[in-house]
Amino acid sequence: MCGILAVLGCADDSQAKRFRFISSCLISSSFISYLIDKFKGLKHRGPDWSGLCQFGDNFLSHQRLAIIDPASGDQPLYNEDKSIIVTVNGEIYNHEELRKKLPNHKFRTGSDCEVIAHLYEEHGEGCVDMLDGIFSFVLLDTRDHSFIAARDAIGVTPLYIGWGLDGSIWISSEMKGLNDDCEHFEIFPPGHLFSSKEACLKRWYNPPWYTESIPSIPYDPLTLRKAFEKAVTKRLMTDVPFGVLLSGGLDSSLVAAVTIRHLAETKAAKQWGAQLHSFCVGLEGSPDLKAGKEVADYLGTVHHEFHFTVQDGIDAIEDVIYHTETYDVTSIRASTPMFLMSRKIKALGVKMVISGEGSDEIFGGYLYFHKAPNKEEFHRETCHKIKALHQYDCLRANKATSAWGLEARVPFLDKEFINVAMSIDPESKMIQRDIGRIEKWVLRKAFDDEENPYLPKHILYRQKEQFSDGVGYSWIDGLKAHAEAHVTDRMMLNAKKIYPHNTPTTKEAYYYRMIFERFFPQNSARLTVPGGPSIACSTAKAIEWDAQWSGNLDPSGRAALGVHESAYDPQPQKIPASISTGNGSAATSKKQRIIEVATPSVTTKG
């Protein structure tokens, strides 16, 4: 993933901004220097190249992670006469097809993103719906000084929009680009575009499932399988080394199995070879490490295990919160191992990985779906979960990897695949243990090929493990114990006064909130993080499915008592002796955090 930051209409000679601007409203050199420093705040997302373009009082910048056309695809990008300027974070998988539809246009680079500038010339705002991929971009039309900004359908790429007191609009891949300069900022909603001509956000992505009406198309396993294979193969578009994240669970295992079947026929294989590399992270002896190795051996991948300790993870919490820009408990629990793994993957020379996010939302894979009372509520819950992905798993997968200049691609969130999967009659997705239908049965059945197996049966039908559980059950237990040692009962009594919005109800949540508020103290920042009660990653509405859940609100899959094979031990957790109970990372200053990035002792087995 790359990083973008655009400042639009920022000229102002007011007293408050006089140190940045000169009286003629032209941008002063001091302000340009200031912006360059701001742009550097996103350099982790794109360490390969930096680009900045100014047109009047508009600035478009780009921090590049070069995946396609590393030699000539630097941004911002332009049309032929440079009247259209665009800065993009994303991958356009159908760019070659779109180029063929633009025979009268001359392309300057081989970048997949350049097609956006030329499409806009022909189709205006309608070009957004023609893009098949993941993207966030800002496009400036110098002919009439207008601009548009857009974000992909599900929100795989992050984007924020802010407003300055001087009338400027700021758009950034991360809050870091906005939090010191905008009077107010918020999440740029997925599937939307902003047009300066209308000065408002509007939704361009309008699939049938978005209305939450109950679909009725009969389940066809072959149709589902073909749609997923197509989603995976289009993501093999790369000019740099890549691999797959392989936890050994159903979703990542299917990604790896499909990738390895189709890799040999791709351009990437001709350039880098057809030997697939896979990566897994976990505590010593964790469920994911064991299952990941078994799947890797079965598929014949070059497998890399990354081991971390609970203390390694705790030491990285501050960095994780700074980069993921959230205080959501579920996200931080899962982001930390991914953050540690991503650093090691990048150190091996890999710049892109394919991952399995999104399947649980689409197919009702979380264990609380066992209690869905009917197909109508089951389907509505999946719709709500997909719509919220940009605040949870998409945010985690993108920001935890981008912290180290690594890109994560997610085939389950392919637009075409989602349309196929969400059109299935939800009766087929319902969990019916009495007839052997466990969570995500329709996906498992689609790849249950007796003649040419994709995966071993016991892997294909392995029980759902949330990522933060699968890396090792003592990981969450250790986090809770660490928070217990750093947050007192007295602090919790005042939680409502200190944090009236999304008040933390556990010591772990309070601990994360303290760190988040030091990095992002603005009210706008805290409002970007979702809240409300949850059980095993459910929405608040789904808690009504089981009366017992209201007394055990925890996002771990093990909270689904009576469903998860390793449900929580009812006994209180003790603080592991190996975990530091000193002052902890919460006492570290922001300045220290930025300069002194922790280096956990993560070991590697290649």
Side-chain angles (χ1 to χ4, degrees), residues 486-561:
H486 288 78
V487 179
T488 67
D489 293 342
R490 185 184 296 270
M491 293 163 73
M492 291 301 297
L493 287 174
N494 295 324
K496 186 69 176 178
K497 298 294 185 182
I498 302 298
Y499 304 119
H501 175 74
N502 280 350
T503 304
T505 57
T506 67
K507 291 185 176 182
E508 184 185 3
Y510 194 105
Y511 180 70
Y512 299 155
R513 186 67 172 270
M514 287 192 297
I515 299 171
F516 176 89
E517 293 275 346
R518 279 192 292 104
F519 290 138
F520 308 103
Q522 303 84 353
N523 188 54
S524 291
R526 63 182 65 98
L527 294 176
T528 66
V529 182
S534 176
I535 181 77
C537 289
S538 74
T539 65
K541 176 66 175 176
I543 294 173
E544 300 173 5
W545 294 352
D546 191 319
Q548 300 181 64
W549 285 349
S550 60
N552 185 33
L553 297 178
D554 191 282
S556 169
R558 288 183 291 157
L561 303 179

Side-chain angles (χ1 to χ4, degrees), residues 85-384:
I85 311 167
V86 63
T87 180
V88 188
N89 168 32
E91 302 289 341
I92 309 303
Y93 301 123
N94 64 336
H95 75 105
E96 292 184 349
E97 174 189 335
L98 292 172
R99 283 174 182 245
K100 293 175 182 177
K101 296 179 180 179
L102 298 165
N104 298 324
H105 288 259
K106 182 179 180 180
F107 287 78
R108 299 171 180 270
T109 75
S111 168
D112 54 300
C113 294
E114 186 184 345
V115 72
I116 295 174
H118 302 284
L119 275 179
Y120 178 81
E121 278 192 281
E122 299 290 338
H123 303 282
E125 295 176 3
C127 72
V128 180
D129 200 22
M130 300 171 68
L131 303 174
D132 182 7
I134 53 174
F135 53 83
S136 296
F137 70 80
V138 178
L139 182 148
L140 178 66
D141 188 340
T142 67
R143 298 169 300 185
D144 60 4
H145 296 256
S146 65
F147 71 87
I148 65 168
R151 189 178 184 187
D152 65 67
I154 304 300
V156 176
T157 60
L159 198 65
Y160 298 83
I161 182 170
W163 293 266
L165 285 173
D166 60 328
S168 58
I169 295 178
W170 296 59
I171 299 173
S172 176
S173 294
E174 296 185 0
M175 285 195 295
K176 300 172 190 65
L178 310 178
N179 58 354
D180 294 326
D181 298 275
C182 296
E183 183 69 10
H184 174 75
F185 58 87
E186 58 193 43
I187 293 172
F188 193 111
H192 281 69
L193 67 83
F194 180 92
S195 169
S196 63
K197 293 178 180 178
E198 300 175 47
C200 67
L201 286 157
K202 50 188 176 182
R203 187 153 53 90
W204 63 265
Y205 179 56
N206 296 285
W209 64 267
Y210 209 89
T211 64
E212 301 179 17
S213 59
I214 311 303
S216 59
I217 295 178
Y219 166 56
D220 181 348
L222 188 58
T223 298
L224 188 64
R225 182 200 297 185
K226 288 181 177 178
F228 184 65
E229 291 192 310
K230 184 178 179 181
V232 172
T233 54
K234 71 173 67 171
R235 282 159 179 78
L236 302 182
M237 178 186 78
T238 178
D239 292 330
V240 298
F242 79 102
V244 295
L245 302 186
L246 181 57
S247 68
L250 173 67
D251 308 328
S252 66
S253 297
L254 285 179
V255 168
V258 173
T259 299
I260 210 159
R261 287 199 180 199
H262 295 278
L263 180 59
E265 61 202 50
T266 66
K267 293 180 181 178
K270 295 176 183 177
Q271 188 171 2
W272 301 106
Q275 186 69 62
L276 182 64
H277 287 251
S278 56
F279 309 96
C280 187
V281 66
L283 303 177
E284 193 74 43
S286 71
D288 282 359
L289 288 178
K290 179 182 177 182
K293 186 178 187 308
E294 185 176 0
V295 175
D297 290 343
Y298 179 83
L299 296 176
T301 67
V302 178
H303 193 56
H304 308 266
E305 287 186 357
F306 304 126
H307 297 174
F308 76 104
T309 67
V310 172
Q311 189 63 53
D312 289 333
I314 289 172
D315 291 343
I317 289 293
E318 273 214 11
D319 290 317
V320 169
I321 292 174
Y322 175 77
H323 280 287
T324 59
E325 303 180 319
T326 186
Y327 51 84
D328 174 66
V329 171
T330 312
S331 299
I332 295 168
R333 287 176 174 182
S335 293
T336 304
M338 199 169 196
F339 175 86
L340 296 175
M341 176 172 58
S342 296
R343 187 176 194 178
K344 286 293 185 179
I345 292 174
K346 186 61 182 292
L348 294 175
V350 172
K351 297 178 72 172
M352 184 271 282
V353 291
I354 308 178
S355 190
E357 278 76 17
S359 173
D360 292 314
E361 286 74 14
I362 294 169
F363 295 105
Y366 291 109
L367 296 184
Y368 73 89
F369 275 94
H370 278 246
K371 301 295 181 72
N374 53 59
K375 72 175 187 178
E376 289 79 14
E377 288 205 42
F378 188 106
H379 180 72
R380 280 191 286 269
E381 179 74 2
T382 60
C383 293
H384 295 164

